[in-house]
Amino acid sequence: MYEKLFRYGLFPAYETLRGRATVRHIAEYRDGQWLDETQLAQLQLTKLNALLAYCWEHVPFLQDHWRAAGCRPGTLRHTSELAQYPTLTKTLITANYQDMVARPWRGRTLAKATGGSTGEPFRCEYTMEAYARRTAVMWRGYGWGGASLGTRTAYVWGTGMRGSGWGGLKDRLYHAAFNRRFFDALNMNDANIDARIAAIQRYRPAALVGYVAPVVLLARRMLATGARVPGLRGVLTGAEALHQVERSDIEQAFGCKAFDTYGSREVMLMAAECAHHEGLHVSADHLLLETLGADGAPVAAGESGAVAVTDFHNFGMPLVRYLNGDAATYSTRNCSCGRGLPLLESIDGRVLDLLKTPDGRHIPGEYFVMVMLGWPEVRQWQVVQTAPDSLQFRLVSNQPLTPDQHASLIKSVQPLLGDAMRVEIVSVDSIAPTPSGKRRLTVACANAARIVD
Ligand SMILES: [Zn+2]
C-alpha cells in the first residue's frame, strides 16, 4: 500500500519540487530495457553523437586529448567507431580537472569523491540531470531484484546515516519516506550479530540490499542458528563480485534469490541481474560499457577486457571511454527474459576481504574504501592484515605522507578497529594486481601471506 503511494504519489511530488525530471527518466528507462538490438544501437548512436558534439564544443581538455590522438569532430556512423577515440584515466582527469568540466556548467555542477575500483581516490563532477537519470537507472535495476522504488528494504550498508542530532533525524525521516532502513555493516561481531539479524526480522523488509561480505556473514550465521527473515523478494548485493558459494549461502539463508549488481560512485549502477540470472544486464540505453584488450581495442564477447565507460548524460564533466580499473566479460548470449540490454557474464573488479578485529568484530573492506575517499593525495592503496592484531596500510603517493598525516589517518580508523589493533603505514612504489588482474584492496590475515613479501 505505502509502496504504491510512495512510487506514484509522494516520490513524483518530491522530485518535481526539487526540479528533477526523475519520473520522466524512470518512464524512459522502463521502456528502454525492452528495445531490440537495432533500436538500442540507434539510440546509443544518437546519444553518443550528441555527447561527442557537445564535448568538441565545450570541454577543453577532451578537445586537446582527442586532437592529439588524431580525432576530428564529426558524426559517427556506428558506436564501434568510438574506438578511434583515446581512453581517459583517473590520472588524466585529475591532472586536467578544471578543463574536464564543460564550460557552460562551470560553478553549477555537483561533485563527488570516489574510491574507484582500484583504490585510487578520485573526484568527479556531474549535473543534477545526470544524477536524476542515474537514480532512475538504479531503481530500474534494483526493481529487477525486487527492491523497487518504495519497497520496504533493509540496507546492510556502511553509510547513509549521520548518527544522532539534527542530521541524523533528517536522514531517518528521509529514509523512512523511501521505506528503507540502514543496518550498520561496520560493527558486526559474534556478540551482536544475532541482535542484528533480529532487528532485520523485526523490520520485516520485502528486500535486502548490501555489500557482499557482511550479507554473507549474516547468511552464514542464519544458517548456523536457523534464524529466518521471511517474506523477502530478493537480496541484492554490490561493492564486489558475488561468487557461487556466497550466492548459494545467501539464497539458502534468506529463502529467496540473490541478485548481483555492478556499479561505481562515478556513474552509479552500470549493470544488474534480472530474475532469469543469466548475467548482468548493462544499462546500455544510458551508458556505453566497452571491454578493451591490452592493445586498447575492444575484445570479443566471452573475453575479459578493461572496462571503459561512457556516460551519455553527464554533460557537466563528460566521461568518455573512462577506464574505471575493472575488467569485465560480455556474455555471448542474450537473456531469455527478452530484454535487449546486453549481458555481462562476469566482472573482475576489486576484491574486498572482510577483516576481523582482535575483539572479534568484522569490518567490511568497503569501510576502508570510504576512509580513503578523504585522501586524494594517495594514488593507490591496499590494507593488509599481517597478523590478527596488526594492520598495514600500503600507500602509493607522489610524495610520501608526513608523520602528521600518518598520525591523522591512524587516528581516523583506530576507534573502529579498536585499541588492540596495531596500525602501521608504509609507502610503496606500486601495488601489484592479482594474476587474474583483480585488485585486492583489503587483505585478511588468511590471505596476507600471499600478498606481503
Ligand atoms: Zn534478463
Side-chain angles (χ1 to χ4, degrees):
M1 175 66 192
Y2 179 82
E3 189 170 337
K4 287 207 166 65
L5 174 69
F6 182 76
R7 196 180 305 161
Y8 302 113
L10 301 177
F11 180 77
Y14 177 73
E15 289 295 300
T16 308
L17 212 65
R18 296 294 301 260
R20 291 191 290 240
T22 315
V23 175
R24 187 157 45 81
H25 302 318
I26 285 176
E28 179 190 326
Y29 293 122
R30 183 193 56 219
D31 298 341
Q33 64 188 312
W34 300 108
L35 296 177
D36 65 27
E37 213 171 313
T38 318
Q39 292 167 321
L40 194 57
Q42 188 53 50
L43 178 71
Q44 284 194 313
L45 186 62
T46 305
K47 288 187 172 188
L48 181 60
N49 274 323
L51 178 70
L52 292 178
Y54 184 85
C55 295
W56 275 114
E57 195 169 347
H58 298 298
V59 186
F61 174 70
L62 289 180
Q63 294 163 10
D64 296 345
H65 186 48
W66 293 348
R67 279 191 192 282
C71 297
R72 296 292 174 265
T75 308
L76 305 187
R77 285 159 300 162
H78 192 273
T79 50
S80 63
E81 291 176 6
L82 186 65
Q84 302 155 9
Y85 279 68
T87 53
L88 260 180
T89 59
K90 288 186 178 74
T91 313
L92 277 175
I93 294 168
T94 306
N96 301 280
Y97 199 81
Q98 284 313 316
D99 282 341
M100 273 296 297
V101 181
R103 285 196 199 94
W105 280 101
R106 288 189 183 168
R108 295 195 294 136
T109 50
L110 306 165
K112 185 184 259 185
T114 156
S117 302
T118 55
E120 292 174 70
F122 169 66
R123 268 173 74 84
C124 55
E125 313 266 330
Y126 57 97
T127 62
M128 185 60 93
E129 190 200 334
Y131 176 74
R133 283 182 170 276
R134 290 167 182 186
T135 308
V137 168
M138 181 196 79
W139 286 120
R140 175 177 71 182
Y142 277 24
W144 296 336
S148 297
L149 185 59
T151 303
R152 192 173 180 84
T153 302
Y155 282 77
V156 181
W157 217 254
T159 54
M161 303 299 279
R162 280 176 282 185
S164 55
W166 172 237
L169 178 66
K170 253 173 78 176
D171 286 348
R172 277 195 294 282
L173 289 173
Y174 182 74
H175 293 311
F178 271 85
N179 213 2
R180 64 190 174 204
R181 187 178 293 171
F182 284 73
F183 296 85
D184 187 3
L186 295 185
N187 266 310
M188 269 195 270
N189 60 31
D190 294 347
N192 69 18
I193 188 166
D194 291 328
R196 197 69 48 87
I197 293 166
I200 295 173
Q201 285 168 335
R202 280 196 304 276
Y203 181 59
R204 290 187 293 112
L208 187 141
V209 177
Y211 304 145
V212 172
V215 171
V216 169
L217 200 66
L218 289 173
R220 291 186 178 151
R221 180 67 184 171
M222 287 164 65
L223 290 175
T225 61
R228 312 288 298 167
V229 178
L232 287 176
R233 300 172 193 164
V235 171
L236 285 80
T237 62
E240 60 176 315
L242 178 66
H243 301 292
Q244 195 46 50
V245 182
E246 298 161 338
R247 182 190 291 270
S248 66
D249 284 353
I250 290 172
E251 293 184 344
Q252 210 187 329
F254 288 97
C256 64
K257 285 289 185 182
F259 294 78
D260 195 4
T261 68
Y262 174 48
S264 73
R265 288 177 64 86
E266 294 95 320
V267 291
M268 291 173 62
L269 191 72
M270 290 182 274
E273 249 178 343
C274 75
H276 289 242
H277 302 278
E278 293 173 25
L280 283 76
H281 283 288
V282 175
S283 314
D285 50 346
H286 173 72
L287 51 81
L288 184 69
L289 191 155
E290 299 172 89
T291 48
L292 310 179
D295 57 356
V299 298
E303 284 175 40
S304 175
V307 171
V309 195
T310 300
D311 179 341
F312 294 138
H313 295 286
N314 182 15
F315 290 84
M317 180 188 266
L319 296 180
V320 179
R321 307 198 84 208
Y322 165 63
L323 294 168
N324 71 359
D326 293 332
T329 306
Y330 266 106
S331 172
T332 51
R333 297 173 303 144
N334 293 325
C335 191
S336 56
C337 70
R339 288 183 181 83
L341 303 176
L343 291 178
L344 290 179
E345 191 177 279
S346 66
I347 292 128
D348 308 315
R350 58 195 184 185
V351 181
L352 298 167
D353 284 353
L354 198 68
L355 306 183
K356 195 168 182 182
T357 60
D359 57 7
R361 288 170 305 117
H362 298 273
I363 313 286
E366 189 68 19
Y367 166 70
F368 296 95
V369 176
M370 304 311 283
V371 167
M372 293 313 294
L373 293 180
W375 294 87
E377 51 276 81
V378 176
R379 295 213 331 267
Q380 239 185 314
W381 60 271
Q382 186 175 53
V383 171
V384 183
Q385 191 167 15
T386 50
D389 61 351
S390 184
L391 206 68
Q392 193 180 67
F393 277 75
R394 315 178 82 214
L395 308 181
V396 182
S397 50
N398 292 335
Q399 294 192 329
L401 301 191
T402 63
D404 278 356
Q405 287 176 308
H406 282 195
S408 158
L409 175 54
I410 292 171
K411 202 175 150 203
S412 72
V413 296
Q414 200 82 63
L416 184 66
L417 298 175
D419 290 336
M421 184 76 95
R422 282 184 292 119
V423 182
E424 180 196 16
I425 296 176
V426 294
S427 292
V428 295
D429 294 333
S430 64
I431 291 163
T434 64
S436 63
K438 294 178 190 179
R439 298 268 179 182
R440 296 195 79 107
L441 289 189
T442 57
V443 185
C445 237
N447 300 321
R450 289 192 272 134
I451 300 290
V452 179
D453 312 320

